[in-house]
Structure formats: C-alpha cells, structure tokens
Short mmCIF file of all heavy atoms in Angstrom, two decimals:
data_model
loop_
_atom_site.label_atom_id
_atom_site.label_comp_id
_atom_site.label_asym_id
_atom_site.label_seq_id
_atom_site.Cartn_x
_atom_site.Cartn_y
_atom_site.Cartn_z
N MET A 1 53.37 -139.27 -13.75
CA MET A 1 53.97 -138.12 -14.42
C MET A 1 55.19 -137.62 -13.64
O MET A 1 56.07 -137.01 -14.18
CB MET A 1 53.00 -136.95 -14.50
CG MET A 1 51.93 -137.07 -15.56
SD MET A 1 52.48 -136.75 -17.24
CE MET A 1 51.31 -137.78 -18.10
N GLY A 2 55.16 -137.83 -12.32
CA GLY A 2 56.25 -137.31 -11.51
C GLY A 2 57.56 -137.97 -11.85
O GLY A 2 57.59 -139.09 -12.34
N SER A 3 58.62 -137.28 -11.57
CA SER A 3 59.92 -137.86 -11.84
C SER A 3 60.48 -138.52 -10.59
O SER A 3 61.61 -138.93 -10.57
CB SER A 3 60.88 -136.79 -12.34
OG SER A 3 60.90 -135.72 -11.44
N LYS A 4 59.67 -138.56 -9.55
CA LYS A 4 60.14 -139.12 -8.29
C LYS A 4 59.75 -140.59 -8.19
O LYS A 4 58.64 -140.98 -8.51
CB LYS A 4 59.53 -138.37 -7.11
CG LYS A 4 60.11 -136.99 -6.93
CD LYS A 4 61.17 -137.00 -5.82
CE LYS A 4 61.84 -135.65 -5.67
NZ LYS A 4 60.90 -134.67 -5.07
N TYR A 5 60.68 -141.34 -7.69
CA TYR A 5 60.44 -142.76 -7.44
C TYR A 5 60.71 -143.03 -5.99
O TYR A 5 61.42 -142.28 -5.34
CB TYR A 5 61.34 -143.63 -8.31
CG TYR A 5 61.04 -143.53 -9.77
CD1 TYR A 5 61.57 -142.50 -10.53
CD2 TYR A 5 60.21 -144.46 -10.38
CE1 TYR A 5 61.29 -142.40 -11.89
CE2 TYR A 5 59.93 -144.37 -11.73
CZ TYR A 5 60.47 -143.33 -12.48
OH TYR A 5 60.19 -143.24 -13.81
N LYS A 6 60.16 -144.11 -5.52
CA LYS A 6 60.45 -144.51 -4.15
C LYS A 6 61.19 -145.83 -4.17
O LYS A 6 60.78 -146.77 -4.87
CB LYS A 6 59.14 -144.67 -3.36
CG LYS A 6 58.79 -143.41 -2.60
CD LYS A 6 57.75 -143.72 -1.55
CE LYS A 6 57.49 -142.51 -0.68
NZ LYS A 6 56.44 -142.77 0.30
N CYS A 7 62.20 -145.90 -3.37
CA CYS A 7 62.95 -147.15 -3.27
C CYS A 7 62.05 -148.20 -2.63
O CYS A 7 61.40 -147.95 -1.61
CB CYS A 7 64.20 -146.93 -2.43
SG CYS A 7 65.09 -148.45 -2.11
N ALA A 8 62.01 -149.38 -3.22
CA ALA A 8 61.14 -150.44 -2.73
C ALA A 8 61.64 -151.01 -1.41
O ALA A 8 60.89 -151.65 -0.69
CB ALA A 8 61.05 -151.55 -3.77
N LEU A 9 62.88 -150.77 -1.07
CA LEU A 9 63.42 -151.34 0.17
C LEU A 9 63.42 -150.34 1.31
O LEU A 9 62.90 -150.62 2.38
CB LEU A 9 64.84 -151.85 -0.07
CG LEU A 9 64.97 -153.16 -0.84
CD1 LEU A 9 66.40 -153.66 -0.79
CD2 LEU A 9 64.04 -154.22 -0.27
N CYS A 10 64.00 -149.17 1.11
CA CYS A 10 64.12 -148.22 2.21
C CYS A 10 63.05 -147.14 2.15
O CYS A 10 62.85 -146.41 3.12
CB CYS A 10 65.51 -147.61 2.24
SG CYS A 10 65.88 -146.55 0.85
N GLY A 11 62.34 -147.03 1.05
CA GLY A 11 61.25 -146.08 0.97
C GLY A 11 61.68 -144.65 0.69
O GLY A 11 60.86 -143.75 0.67
N GLU A 12 62.96 -144.46 0.48
CA GLU A 12 63.46 -143.12 0.17
C GLU A 12 63.00 -142.68 -1.20
O GLU A 12 62.88 -143.49 -2.11
CB GLU A 12 65.00 -143.13 0.18
CG GLU A 12 65.61 -143.26 1.55
CD GLU A 12 65.46 -141.98 2.37
OE1 GLU A 12 65.63 -140.88 1.82
OE2 GLU A 12 65.14 -142.10 3.55
N GLU A 13 62.74 -141.39 -1.32
CA GLU A 13 62.44 -140.86 -2.64
C GLU A 13 63.75 -140.73 -3.40
O GLU A 13 64.74 -140.23 -2.87
CB GLU A 13 61.76 -139.50 -2.52
CG GLU A 13 60.32 -139.62 -2.14
CD GLU A 13 59.58 -138.32 -2.39
OE1 GLU A 13 60.22 -137.30 -2.66
OE2 GLU A 13 58.35 -138.34 -2.30
N ILE A 14 63.71 -141.19 -4.61
CA ILE A 14 64.94 -141.20 -5.39
C ILE A 14 64.68 -140.63 -6.77
O ILE A 14 63.60 -140.81 -7.33
CB ILE A 14 65.53 -142.62 -5.52
CG1 ILE A 14 64.41 -143.64 -5.82
CG2 ILE A 14 66.24 -143.02 -4.24
CD1 ILE A 14 64.90 -145.05 -5.99
N THR A 15 65.65 -139.96 -7.29
CA THR A 15 65.52 -139.44 -8.64
C THR A 15 66.27 -140.33 -9.62
O THR A 15 65.89 -140.46 -10.77
CB THR A 15 66.07 -138.01 -8.73
OG1 THR A 15 67.34 -137.97 -8.10
CG2 THR A 15 65.13 -137.05 -8.04
N LYS A 16 67.34 -140.93 -9.11
CA LYS A 16 68.07 -141.88 -9.95
C LYS A 16 67.80 -143.27 -9.39
O LYS A 16 68.18 -143.56 -8.26
CB LYS A 16 69.56 -141.58 -9.92
CG LYS A 16 70.37 -142.52 -10.77
CD LYS A 16 71.71 -141.91 -11.13
CE LYS A 16 72.60 -142.87 -11.90
NZ LYS A 16 71.91 -143.46 -13.07
N TYR A 17 67.13 -144.06 -10.16
CA TYR A 17 66.73 -145.36 -9.64
C TYR A 17 67.38 -146.48 -10.42
O TYR A 17 67.85 -146.30 -11.54
CB TYR A 17 65.21 -145.51 -9.68
CG TYR A 17 64.64 -145.51 -11.08
CD1 TYR A 17 64.50 -146.70 -11.77
CD2 TYR A 17 64.24 -144.33 -11.68
CE1 TYR A 17 63.98 -146.72 -13.05
CE2 TYR A 17 63.73 -144.33 -12.96
CZ TYR A 17 63.60 -145.53 -13.65
OH TYR A 17 63.10 -145.53 -14.92
N PHE A 18 67.36 -147.65 -9.79
CA PHE A 18 67.95 -148.83 -10.40
C PHE A 18 66.91 -149.92 -10.45
O PHE A 18 66.15 -150.11 -9.50
CB PHE A 18 69.15 -149.32 -9.57
CG PHE A 18 70.26 -148.31 -9.53
CD1 PHE A 18 70.22 -147.27 -8.60
CD2 PHE A 18 71.31 -148.40 -10.41
CE1 PHE A 18 71.25 -146.33 -8.56
CE2 PHE A 18 72.34 -147.46 -10.37
CZ PHE A 18 72.30 -146.43 -9.45
N ASN A 19 66.87 -150.65 -11.53
CA ASN A 19 65.94 -151.75 -11.65
C ASN A 19 66.52 -152.99 -11.00
O ASN A 19 67.63 -153.40 -11.32
CB ASN A 19 65.64 -152.06 -13.12
CG ASN A 19 64.78 -150.98 -13.73
OD1 ASN A 19 63.71 -150.65 -13.21
ND2 ASN A 19 65.23 -150.40 -14.82
N PRO A 20 65.78 -153.58 -10.06
CA PRO A 20 66.27 -154.79 -9.42
C PRO A 20 66.29 -155.97 -10.39
O PRO A 20 65.54 -155.99 -11.36
CB PRO A 20 65.26 -155.04 -8.30
CG PRO A 20 64.02 -154.34 -8.72
CD PRO A 20 64.46 -153.17 -9.56
N MET A 21 67.14 -156.91 -10.11
CA MET A 21 67.19 -158.12 -10.93
C MET A 21 65.98 -158.98 -10.63
O MET A 21 65.43 -158.94 -9.53
CB MET A 21 68.45 -158.92 -10.62
CG MET A 21 69.70 -158.09 -10.64
SD MET A 21 70.79 -158.58 -11.96
CE MET A 21 72.14 -157.42 -11.73
N LYS A 22 65.59 -159.74 -11.62
CA LYS A 22 64.38 -160.56 -11.47
C LYS A 22 64.47 -161.50 -10.28
O LYS A 22 63.52 -161.67 -9.53
CB LYS A 22 64.16 -161.37 -12.76
CG LYS A 22 62.81 -161.10 -13.39
CD LYS A 22 62.61 -162.02 -14.59
CE LYS A 22 63.10 -161.36 -15.87
NZ LYS A 22 63.38 -162.31 -16.95
N GLU A 23 65.65 -162.08 -10.08
CA GLU A 23 65.79 -163.08 -9.02
C GLU A 23 65.75 -162.46 -7.62
O GLU A 23 65.67 -163.17 -6.64
CB GLU A 23 67.07 -163.90 -9.21
CG GLU A 23 68.32 -163.08 -9.29
CD GLU A 23 68.74 -162.84 -10.74
OE1 GLU A 23 67.88 -162.48 -11.56
OE2 GLU A 23 69.92 -163.02 -11.04
N TRP A 24 65.79 -161.14 -7.54
CA TRP A 24 65.69 -160.51 -6.23
C TRP A 24 64.24 -160.46 -5.75
O TRP A 24 63.98 -160.18 -4.59
CB TRP A 24 66.25 -159.09 -6.27
CG TRP A 24 67.71 -159.05 -6.61
CD1 TRP A 24 68.54 -160.12 -6.78
CD2 TRP A 24 68.49 -157.87 -6.84
NE1 TRP A 24 69.79 -159.66 -7.09
CE2 TRP A 24 69.79 -158.30 -7.14
CE3 TRP A 24 68.20 -156.50 -6.81
CZ2 TRP A 24 70.82 -157.40 -7.40
CZ3 TRP A 24 69.21 -155.61 -7.08
CH2 TRP A 24 70.52 -156.06 -7.37
N LYS A 25 63.32 -160.69 -6.65
CA LYS A 25 61.89 -160.69 -6.31
C LYS A 25 61.46 -159.40 -5.62
O LYS A 25 60.78 -159.41 -4.61
CB LYS A 25 61.56 -161.89 -5.41
CG LYS A 25 61.93 -163.23 -6.02
CD LYS A 25 60.85 -164.24 -5.69
CE LYS A 25 60.96 -165.55 -6.44
NZ LYS A 25 62.23 -165.99 -6.91
N ILE A 26 61.87 -158.31 -6.20
CA ILE A 26 61.50 -157.01 -5.65
C ILE A 26 60.63 -156.28 -6.67
O ILE A 26 60.95 -156.25 -7.85
CB ILE A 26 62.77 -156.18 -5.36
CG1 ILE A 26 63.55 -156.82 -4.22
CG2 ILE A 26 62.41 -154.74 -5.04
CD1 ILE A 26 64.93 -156.23 -4.03
N GLU A 27 59.53 -155.74 -6.17
CA GLU A 27 58.67 -154.95 -7.03
C GLU A 27 59.07 -153.50 -6.91
O GLU A 27 59.22 -152.98 -5.81
CB GLU A 27 57.21 -155.12 -6.60
CG GLU A 27 56.69 -156.51 -6.75
CD GLU A 27 55.49 -156.55 -7.69
OE1 GLU A 27 54.94 -155.48 -8.02
OE2 GLU A 27 55.10 -157.65 -8.09
N GLY A 28 59.21 -152.86 -8.03
CA GLY A 28 59.55 -151.45 -7.99
C GLY A 28 61.02 -151.22 -8.29
O GLY A 28 61.67 -152.05 -8.93
N VAL A 29 61.52 -150.11 -7.81
CA VAL A 29 62.89 -149.73 -8.13
C VAL A 29 63.67 -149.52 -6.84
O VAL A 29 63.12 -149.42 -5.76
CB VAL A 29 62.90 -148.44 -8.98
CG1 VAL A 29 62.27 -148.70 -10.34
CG2 VAL A 29 62.19 -147.30 -8.25
N LEU A 30 64.96 -149.45 -6.99
CA LEU A 30 65.85 -149.33 -5.83
C LEU A 30 66.70 -148.08 -5.93
O LEU A 30 67.05 -147.64 -7.03
CB LEU A 30 66.77 -150.55 -5.75
CG LEU A 30 66.12 -151.91 -5.55
CD1 LEU A 30 67.18 -152.98 -5.48
CD2 LEU A 30 65.27 -151.94 -4.30
N CYS A 31 67.06 -147.56 -4.77
CA CYS A 31 68.05 -146.49 -4.74
C CYS A 31 69.44 -147.12 -4.91
O CYS A 31 69.59 -148.34 -4.80
CB CYS A 31 67.95 -145.71 -3.44
SG CYS A 31 68.47 -146.63 -1.97
N GLY A 32 70.40 -146.29 -5.13
CA GLY A 32 71.75 -146.80 -5.37
C GLY A 32 72.29 -147.60 -4.20
O GLY A 32 72.97 -148.60 -4.38
N ASP A 33 71.99 -147.13 -2.98
CA ASP A 33 72.48 -147.82 -1.78
C ASP A 33 71.94 -149.23 -1.68
O ASP A 33 72.68 -150.18 -1.49
CB ASP A 33 72.08 -147.04 -0.53
CG ASP A 33 73.01 -145.88 -0.27
OD1 ASP A 33 74.00 -145.76 -1.02
OD2 ASP A 33 72.73 -145.11 0.65
N CYS A 34 70.62 -149.35 -1.80
CA CYS A 34 69.99 -150.66 -1.67
C CYS A 34 70.40 -151.55 -2.84
O CYS A 34 70.57 -152.75 -2.67
CB CYS A 34 68.48 -150.52 -1.62
SG CYS A 34 67.91 -149.67 -0.13
N TYR A 35 70.56 -150.95 -3.97
CA TYR A 35 70.96 -151.73 -5.12
C TYR A 35 72.33 -152.36 -4.89
O TYR A 35 72.51 -153.57 -5.08
CB TYR A 35 70.99 -150.85 -6.37
CG TYR A 35 71.26 -151.60 -7.63
CD1 TYR A 35 70.24 -152.30 -8.28
CD2 TYR A 35 72.53 -151.62 -8.20
CE1 TYR A 35 70.48 -152.99 -9.45
CE2 TYR A 35 72.78 -152.31 -9.37
CZ TYR A 35 71.75 -152.99 -9.99
OH TYR A 35 72.00 -153.68 -11.15
N SER A 36 73.27 -151.57 -4.43
CA SER A 36 74.60 -152.15 -4.24
C SER A 36 74.61 -153.11 -3.06
O SER A 36 75.39 -154.06 -3.03
CB SER A 36 75.67 -151.06 -4.07
OG SER A 36 75.22 -150.03 -3.26
N LYS A 37 73.75 -152.87 -2.07
CA LYS A 37 73.63 -153.82 -0.98
C LYS A 37 73.17 -155.17 -1.49
O LYS A 37 73.69 -156.22 -1.15
CB LYS A 37 72.63 -153.30 0.07
CG LYS A 37 73.29 -152.92 1.38
CD LYS A 37 72.25 -152.49 2.38
CE LYS A 37 72.35 -151.00 2.67
NZ LYS A 37 71.21 -150.48 3.43
N LYS A 38 72.15 -155.13 -2.32
CA LYS A 38 71.60 -156.36 -2.89
C LYS A 38 72.63 -157.06 -3.75
O LYS A 38 72.77 -158.27 -3.71
CB LYS A 38 70.36 -156.02 -3.74
CG LYS A 38 69.11 -155.90 -2.92
CD LYS A 38 68.63 -157.28 -2.51
CE LYS A 38 67.71 -157.17 -1.31
NZ LYS A 38 67.44 -158.48 -0.72
N ILE A 39 73.35 -156.28 -4.50
CA ILE A 39 74.39 -156.86 -5.35
C ILE A 39 75.36 -157.67 -4.50
O ILE A 39 75.70 -158.81 -4.81
CB ILE A 39 75.15 -155.75 -6.11
CG1 ILE A 39 74.26 -155.14 -7.20
CG2 ILE A 39 76.43 -156.30 -6.71
CD1 ILE A 39 74.28 -155.87 -8.52
N SER A 40 75.80 -157.07 -3.38
CA SER A 40 76.79 -157.79 -2.57
C SER A 40 76.16 -158.96 -1.82
O SER A 40 76.84 -159.90 -1.46
CB SER A 40 77.51 -156.84 -1.62
OG SER A 40 76.62 -155.98 -0.97
N GLU A 41 74.83 -158.87 -1.56
CA GLU A 41 74.16 -160.01 -0.94
C GLU A 41 74.12 -161.20 -1.90
O GLU A 41 74.35 -162.34 -1.53
CB GLU A 41 72.72 -159.63 -0.61
CG GLU A 41 72.48 -159.30 0.85
CD GLU A 41 71.06 -158.83 1.05
OE1 GLU A 41 70.13 -159.49 0.54
OE2 GLU A 41 70.87 -157.79 1.70
N PHE A 42 73.77 -160.89 -3.12
CA PHE A 42 73.55 -161.96 -4.08
C PHE A 42 74.83 -162.41 -4.77
O PHE A 42 74.93 -163.51 -5.23
CB PHE A 42 72.54 -161.50 -5.14
CG PHE A 42 71.12 -161.75 -4.71
CD1 PHE A 42 70.50 -160.91 -3.80
CD2 PHE A 42 70.42 -162.82 -5.22
CE1 PHE A 42 69.20 -161.14 -3.39
CE2 PHE A 42 69.12 -163.05 -4.82
CZ PHE A 42 68.50 -162.21 -3.90
N TYR A 43 75.78 -161.52 -4.81
CA TYR A 43 77.02 -161.87 -5.48
C TYR A 43 78.19 -161.56 -4.56
O TYR A 43 79.00 -160.68 -4.84
CB TYR A 43 77.15 -161.11 -6.80
CG TYR A 43 75.90 -161.21 -7.63
CD1 TYR A 43 75.04 -160.13 -7.72
CD2 TYR A 43 75.60 -162.39 -8.30
CE1 TYR A 43 73.88 -160.22 -8.47
CE2 TYR A 43 74.44 -162.49 -9.03
CZ TYR A 43 73.58 -161.40 -9.12
OH TYR A 43 72.44 -161.49 -9.85
N PRO A 44 78.24 -162.25 -3.43
CA PRO A 44 79.31 -161.97 -2.47
C PRO A 44 80.67 -162.30 -3.06
O PRO A 44 80.83 -163.27 -3.78
CB PRO A 44 78.98 -162.89 -1.29
CG PRO A 44 78.14 -163.98 -1.85
CD PRO A 44 77.42 -163.38 -3.04
N GLY A 45 81.60 -161.45 -2.76
CA GLY A 45 82.95 -161.69 -3.24
C GLY A 45 83.15 -161.32 -4.69
O GLY A 45 84.25 -161.43 -5.20
N ASP A 46 82.07 -160.88 -5.30
CA ASP A 46 82.20 -160.54 -6.71
C ASP A 46 82.52 -159.06 -6.89
O ASP A 46 81.88 -158.35 -7.63
CB ASP A 46 80.89 -160.88 -7.43
CG ASP A 46 81.08 -160.94 -8.93
OD1 ASP A 46 82.23 -160.94 -9.38
OD2 ASP A 46 80.06 -160.97 -9.64
N HIS A 47 83.48 -158.63 -6.11
CA HIS A 47 83.78 -157.20 -6.17
C HIS A 47 85.22 -156.93 -6.62
O HIS A 47 85.80 -155.92 -6.29
CB HIS A 47 83.55 -156.57 -4.80
CG HIS A 47 82.09 -156.50 -4.48
ND1 HIS A 47 81.25 -155.55 -5.02
CD2 HIS A 47 81.30 -157.28 -3.71
CE1 HIS A 47 80.03 -155.76 -4.56
NE2 HIS A 47 80.03 -156.80 -3.77
N THR A 48 85.73 -157.89 -7.32
CA THR A 48 87.04 -157.64 -7.89
C THR A 48 86.90 -156.60 -8.98
O THR A 48 85.85 -156.46 -9.59
CB THR A 48 87.62 -158.93 -8.49
OG1 THR A 48 86.63 -159.54 -9.31
CG2 THR A 48 87.99 -159.92 -7.38
N ARG A 49 87.93 -155.87 -9.19
CA ARG A 49 87.79 -154.78 -10.15
C ARG A 49 87.75 -155.30 -11.57
O ARG A 49 88.30 -156.35 -11.91
CB ARG A 49 88.92 -153.75 -9.96
CG ARG A 49 90.30 -154.30 -10.18
CD ARG A 49 91.28 -153.18 -10.48
NE ARG A 49 92.49 -153.79 -11.01
CZ ARG A 49 93.51 -154.14 -10.25
NH1 ARG A 49 93.47 -153.94 -8.97
NH2 ARG A 49 94.58 -154.68 -10.79
N ILE A 50 87.03 -154.57 -12.33
CA ILE A 50 86.81 -154.96 -13.72
C ILE A 50 87.61 -154.03 -14.62
O ILE A 50 87.57 -152.82 -14.44
CB ILE A 50 85.32 -154.87 -14.07
CG1 ILE A 50 84.52 -155.83 -13.18
CG2 ILE A 50 85.09 -155.16 -15.55
CD1 ILE A 50 83.06 -155.44 -13.05
N ASN A 51 88.31 -154.62 -15.52
CA ASN A 51 89.06 -153.81 -16.47
C ASN A 51 88.27 -153.59 -17.74
O ASN A 51 87.97 -154.52 -18.44
CB ASN A 51 90.40 -154.47 -16.81
CG ASN A 51 91.40 -154.20 -15.73
OD1 ASN A 51 91.34 -153.17 -15.05
ND2 ASN A 51 92.31 -155.13 -15.55
ZN1 LIG B 101 66.86 -147.77 -0.83
#
C-alpha cells in the first residue's frame, strides 16, 4: 500500500522509480541514479543527443 519503493541496487527509498530492463537481471525497481548508471554500463557511448 505504501508509495515508497526501495532501489534494488543502492537500497535507497525512492518515490520515483524506474523499471530495470529484463537483460539487467535485477529484481525490483531502481532509483534514477542507478538506472542511468546501468544504462551507461549496458549502452556505453550511447549518449548522443536525441532529437
Ligand atoms: Zn539506487
């Protein structure tokens, strides 16, 4: 019932959570920081700007 989630990686309580991609093999949800970290781990160099 609570609106609080815990980041599966850093354990921080988060109110805005992100669903990890299936290939990351992570159970639960991620905070924004860990999510973007994972993104750059899995998709290095894929940070060109998008129009
Ligand atoms: Zn986190």
Side-chain angles (χ1 to χ4, degrees):
M1 283 283 152
S3 54
K4 287 261 176 71
Y5 294 84
K6 265 196 174 177
C7 174
L9 285 190
C10 67
E12 288 288 318
E13 283 195 350
I14 44 179
T15 48
K16 180 159 176 52
Y17 65 90
F18 297 83
N19 288 307
M21 310 245 180
K22 237 185 269 160
E23 56 262 46
W24 298 355
K25 303 219 169 26
I26 293 170
E27 296 240 348
V29 294
L30 298 180
C31 69
D33 279 355
C34 294
Y35 186 80
S36 42
K37 248 183 249 169
K38 276 285 159 191
I39 289 274
S40 45
E41 259 176 47
F42 273 77
Y43 312 104
D46 197 12
H47 289 282
T48 49
R49 61 159 194 268
I50 298 157
N51 279 332

